Amino acid sequence: EISFLMQEAEVILGRPLSTGDSAVLIMLHDNEGLPIDVILMILQYSVSAGKPGMKYIEKLGSSWAKEGIDS
């Protein structure tokens, strides 16, 4: 499941993930409790909004988790 997330994230972002990038995605899944499909949705949204940076993705993911957006 996590391996699928990492592979898809690289495709969506159009670049290889750094260790820090991977850590953010794992944190969103493990600590914030976001499902893989929601994390992928956040990545797609961020890229389409022209904000593919990991800081923005982390902030948006944490915000969605706090608001209970999990589908």
Side-chain angles (χ1 to χ4, degrees):
E1 196 173 56
I2 295 296
S3 145
F4 173 74
L5 171 61
M6 298 306 161
Q7 290 172 351
E8 289 299 307
E10 287 184 343
V11 171
I12 293 167
L13 295 173
R15 61 177 172 80
L17 296 177
S18 70
T19 304
D21 295 342
S22 298
V24 167
L25 297 177
I26 291 170
M27 181 274 303
L28 290 174
H29 183 264
D30 292 349
N31 297 354
E32 299 290 355
L34 292 174
I36 300 293
D37 60 330
V38 172
I39 297 171
L40 294 175
M41 188 184 314
I42 289 168
L43 291 169
Q44 291 167 337
Y45 174 80
S46 299
V47 168
S48 71
K51 299 181 178 184
M54 226 11 101
K55 290 280 186 192
Y56 179 77
I57 291 166
E58 180 178 9
K59 186 175 179 181
L60 184 61
S62 293
S63 173
W64 283 21
K66 286 180 183 132
E67 293 176 27
I69 301 171
D70 61 1
S71 63

